[in-house]
Amino acid sequence: MALLAAVLVATGLTVTLTPSATAASTASTATVCDTAPNWQQGVWYTTGNVVRYNGAYYIAEHDNPGYDPTVSTWYWNPHTCGGGGNPSPSGFVVSESQFNQMFPNRNSFYTYSGLTAALSAYPGFANTGSDTVKKQEAAAFLANVSHETGGLVHVVEQNQANYPHYCDWSQSYGCPAGQAAYYGRGPIQLSWNFNYKAAGDALGIDLLSNPWRVQNEAAVAWKTGLWYWNTQSGPGTMTGHNAMVNQAGFGHTIRSINGSLECDGKNPAQVQSRVTKYQQFTQILGVPTGSNLYC
């Protein structure tokens, strides 16, 4: 299993992150539309927000100060929450059959339902821009996840000798779960006490005291992966989400996840592995790869 190396800033410290992150929070079967508020004029909306308007749903394509959802497709687009134009009842652009095709040998822990339950934590993920961009982002995330976990086979870091190394005692909160408790877990192999704390704080879960939830609860695991993808730029200059939504290219997602070890000619075989998987997944979803595939 490939190890993730990224750089995160924790409480003023720049620290090297090896195996990192995946999906967090309690499992929920509610969709984004189940909790979508009625649109209100003058309320600030950010990219990815979903609202109900005259019995229909709309998703914000760009931040706006409460513009009417039917005025401009630059700010709003119609949003289907199951059936209709979506390939799955969950509203995710990857159907369960496509997910199974991507990961034929996956560990049973990594359930499709766990992934779709995790989507509510970051509603803009694979849900921003055109249908092509949405599918490209999903393919990019899942391609990197596949590389990090050997095709969604590994739930925890395989090298147990590394386990005691992921405790940064300089943090004021220390390592309450034990020095060897913060090893890599989940789709992007979340590791280090400060990353468990940051992901848990963002997701409303105490992962610092109970990091085992990431290897025991599928939705939590997926949410930590989405936390990293949507909020962390690591050694890169942008998050994986922004790289795909702004069409900077798949190569920038590699840089944000493991660029310090793989990019700029450091490990071309690993980069090619990620690119090849992305090409396979975009083909399954029926969209082009876009440009700038390498880093």
Side-chain angles (χ1 to χ4, degrees), residues 117-150:
L119 298 178
S120 61
Y122 294 96
F125 167 73
N127 210 12
T128 304
S130 67
D131 285 344
T132 294
V133 170
K134 293 173 186 176
K135 291 178 180 179
Q136 286 173 336
E137 182 182 6
F141 172 74
L142 293 173
N144 279 301
V145 159
S146 179
H147 180 84
E148 295 299 326
T149 61

Side-chain angles (χ1 to χ4, degrees), residues 21 24 122 190 194-205 207 224 227:
Y122 294 96
L190 183 69
F194 51 82
N195 288 313
Y196 277 91
K197 185 177 191 309
D201 287 350
L203 296 164
I205 306 170
L207 296 180
T224 60
W227 165 78

Side-chain angles (χ1 to χ4, degrees), residues 19-26 107 109-111 149 154-157 181-193 195-200 203 205-227:
S20 188
T22 185
S25 138
T26 54
N107 190 306
F109 171 78
Y110 291 114
T111 59
T149 61
H154 301 299
V155 178
V156 301
E157 180 178 356
Y182 301 100
Y183 50 86
R185 296 177 176 89
I188 300 187
Q189 293 288 279
L190 183 69
S191 60
W192 289 96
N193 55 331
N195 288 313
Y196 277 91
K197 185 177 191 309
L203 296 164
I205 306 170
D206 184 6
L207 296 180
L208 185 66
S209 298
N210 190 359
W212 297 278
R213 289 189 66 177
V214 181
Q215 72 187 70
N216 293 329
E217 300 175 39
V220 171
W222 281 115
K223 283 185 180 179
T224 60
L226 292 174
W227 165 78

Side-chain angles (χ1 to χ4, degrees), residues 21-253:
T22 185
S25 138
T26 54
S28 170
T29 57
T31 68
V32 173
C33 292
D34 289 333
T35 58
N38 291 323
W39 170 81
Q40 296 182 50
Q41 185 175 14
V43 171
W44 183 266
Y45 295 101
T46 58
T47 302
N49 285 164
V50 174
V51 298
R52 184 197 302 266
Y53 180 78
N54 290 341
Y57 294 98
Y58 293 82
I59 185 167
E61 298 293 349
H62 293 87
D63 295 356
N64 69 87
Y67 296 139
D68 187 307
T70 62
V71 167
S72 170
T73 55
W74 170 258
Y75 291 109
W76 295 96
N77 264 332
H79 182 66
T80 306
C81 291
N86 289 322
S88 70
S90 69
F92 188 35
V93 294
V94 179
S95 68
E96 187 166 9
S97 63
Q98 290 170 329
F99 179 77
N100 290 335
Q101 185 179 353
M102 291 172 176
F103 302 104
N105 301 311
R106 64 181 169 83
N107 190 306
S108 60
F109 171 78
Y110 291 114
T111 59
Y112 179 78
S113 60
L115 173 55
T116 56
L119 298 178
S120 61
Y122 294 96
F125 167 73
N127 210 12
T128 304
S130 67
D131 285 344
T132 294
V133 170
K134 293 173 186 176
K135 291 178 180 179
Q136 286 173 336
E137 182 182 6
F141 172 74
L142 293 173
N144 279 301
V145 159
S146 179
H147 180 84
E148 295 299 326
T149 61
L152 286 186
V153 170
H154 301 299
V155 178
V156 301
E157 180 178 356
Q158 298 299 287
N159 185 358
Q160 295 187 18
N162 284 339
Y163 285 15
H165 299 162
Y166 300 125
C167 175
D168 178 11
W169 286 106
S170 69
Q171 303 300 321
S172 61
Y173 42 78
C175 299
Q179 179 168 332
Y182 301 100
Y183 50 86
R185 296 177 176 89
I188 300 187
Q189 293 288 279
L190 183 69
S191 60
W192 289 96
N193 55 331
F194 51 82
N195 288 313
Y196 277 91
K197 185 177 191 309
D201 287 350
L203 296 164
I205 306 170
D206 184 6
L207 296 180
L208 185 66
S209 298
N210 190 359
W212 297 278
R213 289 189 66 177
V214 181
Q215 72 187 70
N216 293 329
E217 300 175 39
V220 171
W222 281 115
K223 283 185 180 179
T224 60
L226 292 174
W227 165 78
Y228 189 89
W229 179 265
N230 285 278
T231 70
Q232 304 298 309
S233 57
T237 59
M238 62 188 76
T239 65
H241 172 70
N242 286 338
M244 298 310 296
V245 168
N246 297 325
Q247 298 182 287
F250 179 73
H252 278 283
T253 73

